[in-house]
Amino acid sequence: LKTILTLGLYSPFFTNHVMAYLTRTSRWGDHSFEYDGDGRPLFLPHLVMMLLFLPTLFLISYWYSAKAQRYMIGHTRFADCWARRLSMG
């Protein structure tokens, strides 16, 4: 409902809340996962994606999806080990 009322601007925050919940409730054996991400670093890229969505014929959504995935993986922790940030080239 917040995403609809804010015209999609709440989406990065909602995605991070869902990721935090799913990560917090996941376990592998005796080890648990942790997630410390926040929606703020993804807000500006999400806004850019929304503004350029039609002019780029939807291709910018792939850029945003990759950026969001890298951010979420980089903020996920398993058994006291942080995932390495993915870097392209």
Side-chain angles (χ1 to χ4, degrees), residues 24-44:
R24 199 174 47 249
T25 58
S26 298
R27 299 187 61 78
W28 182 269
D30 293 337
H31 302 288
S32 62
F33 291 86
E34 295 176 32
Y35 180 73
D36 73 341
D38 187 13
R40 281 180 254 155
L42 292 176
F43 181 73
L44 186 59

Side-chain angles (χ1 to χ4, degrees), residues 70 84-89:
R70 281 193 306 269
R84 292 185 190 177
R85 292 197 181 268
L86 299 177
S87 61
M88 304 297 276

Side-chain angles (χ1 to χ4, degrees), residues 44-62:
L44 186 59
H46 181 74
L47 189 60
V48 169
M49 191 257 319
M50 288 178 64
L51 292 173
L52 296 177
F53 195 66
L54 288 176
T56 61
L57 301 174
F58 314 106
L59 293 176
I60 195 145
S61 63
Y62 294 110

